[in-house]
Amino acid sequence: MAEIDGVDRSFALAALQDNGFVVLRALLSDAELAAARDHADDLLSGAGWSDNDFDGRRTRRVYSLLSRAGSLEPLLLHPEVHHLVTAGLGEVYQFGMLFLSAVDPGQGAQQPHFDAGVYPLPREVEAEINVIWALDDFTPSNGATLIAPGSHLWTAGRRPQPQELVPAIMPAGSALVYSGRLWHAAGHNSAETTRRALICEHVLPWLRPADNHILATGIDQLRGLTPDLRRLAGVAPASDYLGFVAGQDLEQWLRQASSD
Ligand SMILES: O=C(O)CCC(=O)C(=O)O
């Protein structure tokens, strides 16, 4: 499996391009991991199980994280992850789906899918580079994400056979960075403890993101975000002629609207 300790950026990028994923092992310090887990637990404590088979009827999910990112912010902005995302998507991109996921004991394996499948684009287009942060050790028994290595290069219509899916085993604090074209699924949690993760998609700036972060965050809270988070919320214009409000770019509009 393509995984590395410390980050050799060229190795990581080559692994991502060749295999469709790379595991950046133990990127977080103990303190960062502990703080991220505490904050994740606070947010997850109010969440019930999802109400559909795909999300998982023994899985708790929390969305709309940007206005309450707290100790998850270093994960959302981690330079090693963003180095890979930038290499894949270019300088400007935005968050797609962004959520905490707690796969509780008894949750069965998820239906395999590839995240960019929500877009009617040719398979060759790299529309997303995503990351699953392990907040717990990912093990073969606790629901570690199942991935089909190399499947980002498969032609349309090919689906993984069960033997082609392998668990992304990694210690807590690691990041599984993967192509939006990689077939994967949350695994079956047959252990007695919950498997927690922060899952964050990054998508091309001219696509509609899975989550509407601007609405979910709200204007006042958007102004309070760090510039990097605000850009990733979708405030950065996609090009000179794409991504305006009232004829202005969003950043300018936010500044002006607050001084009116
Ligand atoms: O939790 C995981 O390991 C993967 C979840 C996932 O891919 C999804 O819900 O789209």
Side-chain angles (χ1 to χ4, degrees):
M1 180 168 296
E3 55 180 58
I4 49 183
D5 281 307
V7 179
D8 173 335
R9 286 186 163 183
S10 20
F11 177 91
L13 182 56
L16 177 61
Q17 287 168 343
D18 292 350
N19 306 320
F21 75 96
V22 62
V23 173
L24 306 176
R25 285 175 67 85
L27 272 191
L28 301 180
S29 67
D30 290 348
E32 284 172 323
L33 176 60
R37 282 172 160 168
D38 282 351
H39 192 50
D41 281 344
D42 280 350
L43 296 171
L44 284 162
S45 64
W49 284 327
S50 301
D51 63 358
N52 65 81
D53 290 337
F54 183 83
D55 289 358
R57 294 179 191 275
R58 291 287 179 280
T59 296
R60 289 169 285 138
R61 291 180 170 221
V62 175
Y63 295 92
S64 302
L65 297 176
L66 291 183
S67 57
R68 45 190 178 154
S71 311
L72 300 173
E73 183 160 335
L75 286 65
L76 296 177
L77 295 177
H78 201 288
E80 296 306 334
V81 172
H82 284 282
H83 176 75
L84 293 171
V85 179
T86 303
L89 301 183
E91 289 292 333
V92 183
Y93 47 86
Q94 59 188 326
F95 288 136
M97 200 175 280
L98 168 58
F99 60 103
L100 283 167
S101 166
V103 176
D104 283 326
Q107 171 65 59
Q110 189 182 37
Q111 185 190 332
H113 60 282
F114 60 99
D115 295 337
V118 294
Y119 299 116
L121 289 168
R123 280 281 294 164
E124 302 73 60
V125 177
E126 189 71 290
E128 305 190 10
I129 303 282
N130 303 332
V131 59
I132 296 180
W133 281 99
L135 299 180
D136 293 294
D137 292 344
F138 273 32
T139 72
S141 62
N142 76 352
T145 309
L146 302 170
I147 52 177
S151 59
H152 62 310
L153 301 178
W154 291 358
T155 51
R158 178 168 167 193
R159 302 180 67 85
Q161 300 303 306
Q163 68 277 10
E164 292 177 299
L165 290 163
V166 295
I169 297 164
M170 53 183 170
S174 304
L176 166 67
V177 181
Y178 62 102
S179 160
R181 297 176 290 162
L182 189 82
W183 283 88
H184 67 281
H188 170 205
N189 188 349
S190 60
E192 288 178 357
T193 52
T194 296
R195 190 227 72 179
R196 295 165 293 179
L198 173 67
I199 301 183
C200 182
E201 297 179 348
H202 310 91
V203 306
L204 291 170
W206 42 268
L207 290 169
R208 183 176 183 171
D211 279 1
N212 189 321
H213 296 291
I214 291 183
L215 274 182
T217 308
I219 303 293
D220 290 336
Q221 302 266 30
L222 267 180
R223 285 201 193 96
L225 299 184
T226 57
D228 282 342
L229 271 193
R230 195 161 50 237
R231 175 178 71 82
L232 290 164
V235 166
S239 77
D240 286 350
Y241 295 99
L242 191 58
F244 295 112
V245 54
Q248 292 178 315
D249 84 57
L250 269 66
E251 192 66 59
Q252 193 182 0
W253 183 86
L254 281 171
R255 269 199 305 274
Q256 183 166 321
S258 71
S259 60
D260 286 346

